[in-house]
Amino acid sequence: DAACLPFPDASFDAAHISRVLIHVEDPNAVLHEMKRVTRPGGWIVAVEPDFLGMRIDHSDPETSHALVRAFCSGFRHPGMGLELWRRFSEVGLVERELRVVTEIDAAYTEDVATYTRQTVDRAVALGFLSPQQARVAIEYLDHAGALDRYATYSSLFVAAGRVAPER
């Protein structure tokens, strides 16, 4: 349980978490716990995506938006990356830093195609796309992939902050 770590206070020089806060019920509880087990002056680093800012190139912007919404529905906190700056402040970390890494995927591999189909199925199940719109979306993306015209991106935020030194 990331919100209840089995270590004494100030056990570590640093703590790191990656792509976890998007899934947990209470991200700040996890960050507080990381702070508790990190010594004063130690660093805490979190790497989280901002899936709410994700884009999928599709000729129909509404279909693209529906696919991103369907993808995001699988996460408790799909916009966590952008939230890290605020959350690090809320838990009292100092000397905060924030960087963004953009991941671009332009290879429509079989794995990507399979995952895309699952996302399209979720969009239909959630009522974001009709079955007809879903079929057209898959045809478009399969065709774009075959012509090397498929592209999507999302951003990862890397946040760092120090546990305040004792006074």
Side-chain angles (χ1 to χ4, degrees):
D1 181 354
C4 187
L5 298 173
F7 305 106
D9 293 357
S11 294
F12 302 100
D13 293 333
H16 173 264
I17 196 165
S18 180
R19 294 177 175 106
V20 172
L21 298 174
I22 58 175
H23 300 289
V24 300
E25 184 174 334
D26 186 351
N28 280 17
V30 173
L31 292 172
H32 273 293
E33 189 65 354
M34 291 173 69
K35 181 180 170 187
R36 181 189 69 76
V37 301
T38 303
R39 70 169 171 74
W43 283 98
I44 293 176
V45 176
V47 179
E48 296 290 337
D50 175 25
F51 288 136
L52 292 176
M54 182 173 140
R55 297 275 313 273
I56 300 169
D57 182 32
H58 194 287
S59 61
D60 178 20
E62 289 184 29
T63 296
S64 177
H65 181 68
L67 294 175
V68 171
R69 285 177 49 210
F71 179 79
C72 288
S73 72
F75 303 95
R76 284 185 172 163
H77 305 282
M80 179 54 62
L82 186 60
E83 297 172 18
L84 286 174
W85 183 253
R86 169 178 49 85
R87 289 179 181 275
F88 270 41
S89 176
E90 289 170 351
V91 301
L93 297 176
V94 298
E95 298 179 45
R96 295 173 296 143
E97 297 182 23
L98 189 65
R99 302 286 185 269
V100 179
V101 177
T102 300
E103 297 180 312
I104 300 170
D105 189 358
Y108 198 70
T109 65
E110 188 54 43
D111 286 344
V112 171
T114 298
Y115 201 70
T116 299
R117 284 179 180 79
Q118 292 169 350
T119 300
V120 169
D121 290 345
R122 179 180 285 165
V124 171
L126 293 169
F128 299 158
L129 293 176
S130 70
Q132 168 66 17
Q133 290 170 312
R135 189 170 17 76
V136 170
I138 290 295
E139 289 171 1
Y140 176 86
L141 292 169
D142 285 348
H143 185 69
L147 296 176
D148 194 28
R149 294 180 183 166
Y150 170 81
T152 184
Y153 77 86
S154 62
S155 295
L156 283 173
F157 284 71
V158 180
R162 282 190 187 266
V163 176
E166 295 177 343
R167 292 182 184 208

